[in-house]
Each structure stands twice: as structure tokens, then as C-alpha cells.
Amino acid sequence: IQGNSGRYNPAQNVTYQEAAAYLIRLLGLENEAMQKAARVSAQGITPRYNADSWAIGYMEEAIAQGILTEAEVNQMNTLTQAQRQAIENQVNQEAKQRWIPLARRQALIEERQQAAIEQNKNMRRAISRQDLALWIFRALKMEPVLSNDIYHIYNFADYAQIKADRQNPVETLIQNGILQGASTNRYGAEAGVTRGELAKALMAAVKKFPDLTGIETGIARI
């Protein structure tokens, strides 16, 4: 994990592209990521997501490793019917409060839908706790817990905010002591994760899975 502009900034939230980079480094796949970055640059490929140039190789390797799936990348470039309807309802509600010509109203709907897609594709934004849990779960190729062994997440007052396909990864990481909730009674599914907290989680992963990462820990004189 690296800092930013000469500072470590432990309280700064980790972005999607940073999370991809840290997990690929954890798995010892930095060379593969650099090769993919070189290929994308040489072939003039436009990524299907928005990321800084330094992060493209890591993102591509994360996709190759299944940390971020092809289906999820495709979903970034579309909106669900519910999302489209919510934007349309929002614009129509505004039109009730102030007159908006019909053509302008439709244009406004399309602009906001496109802005929502761009936000979906934005890998520079802070990664949510539940998405990070899913990425770590996939990177470490962890075995899911049995459905009747899921109990930790129900101790959080906001457990219902954890998406259905994130619940098992979240529970598995909690049971393995890798990534906990935001607080004792709140998981914070959509909340960010700080750089310092992620460093602690990755250290727990290194200790739990030494064969996977190939990283040895101990005490040395520097």
C-alpha cells in the first residue's frame, strides 16, 4: 500500500482502483499487471471503466483473476430499469415544481442517466465496504460459509443494507478476522474503508494465507 503526494493518509478512503492494485500486489501478480498495461497502451484499447493510467494494468489483471467479473464490468455501462425509472421520476418531480419544456425534460433525463453510468464506471471513487469484502473474498479464493453458519452479519443493525450476493463474503471475512464492520453495531455496507483499515485487513490475510501470498512475516533489524 502506497501513500499519496508524500503522505500515507491512513484515514483516507481507498478507491476501487487502489483496491485492485493492492490485491494484485498481494497475490504477487504485479508483473502480469504491468504486461497488461503495456498491451492496452500498445494496442490503443479504451478500457470499459474510468481509471487513472497507472491503475489500468491492475484493473485488467483484477478482471483476469475474477476479482472483478466481466458481467460486473458490463453492468457498469448500463442502468437497471429501476435506476432509469428513479431518474425519470426525479426529473418529473422537478418539472412539477418549475416548468420544464418536454424536450428539455427528456434531454435532462438522458443527461442524468449518462452521468449515472459514468459514476458506475468511475474507479477513482471510494470502494464500498461490501464491494471490498467481495473483492478480497474472490482474491483469496475463500470457501463460503454454510448458510446456516451465517450469524455475525445479523448482529449489525444495518445488515439488511448488505446486498444478497455480498452477505456470504462479508460473513466469511468477519469469521476469518480479515475485514470487520464499520463499528460494533453497524456494518456500513456502502461506507468507505480507510487505507489504514485495509492495511490491517491485508496483514490479517497474509497471516491467514501465507501459502497464497508467499509473504513471510517476522521481526528484523532495519
Side-chain angles (χ1 to χ4, degrees):
I1 295 182
Q2 297 175 350
N4 185 13
S5 302
R7 297 179 64 85
Y8 180 68
N9 293 323
Q12 182 175 337
N13 284 341
V14 174
T15 64
Y16 281 87
Q17 63 184 15
E18 287 174 331
Y22 301 159
L23 290 173
I24 292 305
R25 290 173 185 157
L26 181 72
L27 298 176
L29 297 171
E30 183 139 24
N31 287 338
E32 288 81 351
M34 295 302 98
Q35 291 171 6
K36 285 181 172 58
R39 179 179 59 83
V40 168
S41 178
Q43 297 180 3
I45 298 172
T46 300
R48 294 164 292 169
Y49 47 81
N50 298 327
D52 292 329
S53 58
W54 66 262
I56 290 175
Y58 295 111
M59 292 299 304
E60 291 297 314
E61 188 61 31
I63 294 170
Q65 294 297 320
I67 296 172
L68 174 63
T69 68
E70 289 284 351
E72 289 164 347
V73 175
N74 291 333
Q75 288 170 7
M76 292 177 188
N77 291 273
T78 61
L79 295 178
T80 65
Q81 182 58 38
Q83 289 172 316
R84 291 180 178 278
Q85 190 62 53
I87 292 172
E88 186 174 339
N89 292 344
Q90 182 185 54
V91 172
N92 289 336
Q93 187 64 33
E94 291 176 11
K96 292 180 181 179
Q97 298 173 0
R98 60 183 178 88
W99 183 75
I100 302 176
L102 190 59
R104 175 55 188 155
R105 191 184 308 178
Q106 186 58 38
L108 193 57
I109 290 172
E110 292 174 1
E111 289 172 9
R112 292 189 181 177
Q113 287 177 345
Q114 187 57 43
I117 290 174
E118 292 302 312
Q119 180 64 8
N120 286 347
K121 295 164 55 179
N122 181 17
M123 298 295 100
R124 303 180 184 95
R125 75 187 192 279
I127 189 169
S128 68
R129 184 176 298 271
Q130 62 179 344
D131 282 356
L132 179 59
L134 179 64
W135 282 22
I136 295 174
F137 175 85
R138 288 172 173 170
L140 299 178
K141 296 178 173 58
M142 301 181 73
E143 290 292 330
V145 298
L146 298 176
S147 58
N148 57 356
D149 288 334
I150 295 178
Y151 57 91
H152 281 288
I153 61 173
Y154 301 126
N155 293 326
F156 297 113
D158 60 346
Y159 79 88
Q161 295 178 18
I162 304 173
K163 296 178 181 177
D165 63 340
R166 280 20 175 208
Q167 290 181 1
N168 204 300
V170 166
E171 178 74 21
T172 302
L173 262 62
I174 292 174
Q175 288 193 21
N176 281 274
I178 294 177
L179 184 65
Q180 305 299 321
S183 65
T184 303
N185 60 358
R186 176 176 168 272
Y187 182 72
E190 289 301 316
V193 177
T194 67
R195 186 176 281 120
E197 186 180 6
L198 181 54
K200 182 179 179 180
L202 296 184
M203 189 63 186
V206 166
K207 291 181 177 179
K208 189 81 176 180
F209 303 98
D211 294 338
L212 177 66
T213 64
I215 299 173
E216 296 182 6
T217 61
I219 301 173
R221 184 183 301 276
I222 299 179

